[in-house]
């Protein structure tokens, strides 16, 4: 009888521990995951938008040479296939570096 009482207390504690719902899980219900259309423009300020556009323009002008090489290789189908096996650096060296020599 004692073991049955102890087993039922342990089972009740396990149920309480496993079924307890903390307030942390309710936070997602308080605020919707998406912003409605009327408030979407206030999410990022005008100055932040301007700064992001300026940074994107700078990044487009000053691309690293590896990215430029990869873009050149992507336009040439044989180079792209070679790059899938040996990597873009090896493919660029094979198809474009030898032309200048």
């Amino acid at each position: 009888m004692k073991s049955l009482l102890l087993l039922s207390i342990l089972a009740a504690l396990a149920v309480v521990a496993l079924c307890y719902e903390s307030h942390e899980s309710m936070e997602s219900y308080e605020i919707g995951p998406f912003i409605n259309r009327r408030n979407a423009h206030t999410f990022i300020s005008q100055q932040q938008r301007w700064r992001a556009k300026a940074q994107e323009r700078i990044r487009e002008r000053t691309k690293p040479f590896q990215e430029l090489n990869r873009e050149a290789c992507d336009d040439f189908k044989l180079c792209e296939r070679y790059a899938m096996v040996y990597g873009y650096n090896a493919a660029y060296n094979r198809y474009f570096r030898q032309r200048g020599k």
Side-chain angles (χ1 to χ4, degrees), residues 32-64:
F34 301 105
I35 299 174
N36 65 20
R37 290 181 183 193
R38 291 184 182 180
N39 295 333
H41 69 282
T42 61
F43 185 69
I44 297 177
S45 70
Q46 183 70 25
Q47 185 178 9
Q48 287 175 327
R49 271 184 259 152
W50 180 84
R51 194 175 294 155
K53 286 178 185 177
Q55 288 175 351
E56 181 65 27
R57 286 188 198 118
I58 290 169
R59 271 188 244 117
E60 283 294 321
R61 285 188 203 145
T62 58
K63 287 184 180 178

Side-chain angles (χ1 to χ4, degrees), residues 21-82:
E21 189 168 339
S22 67
H23 293 289
E24 293 173 0
S25 64
M26 297 299 287
E27 288 177 359
S28 61
Y29 297 116
E30 293 172 3
I31 301 172
F34 301 105
I35 299 174
N36 65 20
R37 290 181 183 193
R38 291 184 182 180
N39 295 333
H41 69 282
T42 61
F43 185 69
I44 297 177
S45 70
Q46 183 70 25
Q47 185 178 9
Q48 287 175 327
R49 271 184 259 152
W50 180 84
R51 194 175 294 155
K53 286 178 185 177
Q55 288 175 351
E56 181 65 27
R57 286 188 198 118
I58 290 169
R59 271 188 244 117
E60 283 294 321
R61 285 188 203 145
T62 58
K63 287 184 180 178
F65 71 93
Q66 293 96 343
E67 189 173 347
L68 294 172
N69 293 352
R70 183 176 179 153
E71 288 177 358
C73 196
D74 282 341
D75 292 337
F76 188 50
K77 205 56 145 171
L78 291 175
C79 183
E80 189 177 10
R81 287 183 186 160
Y82 192 86

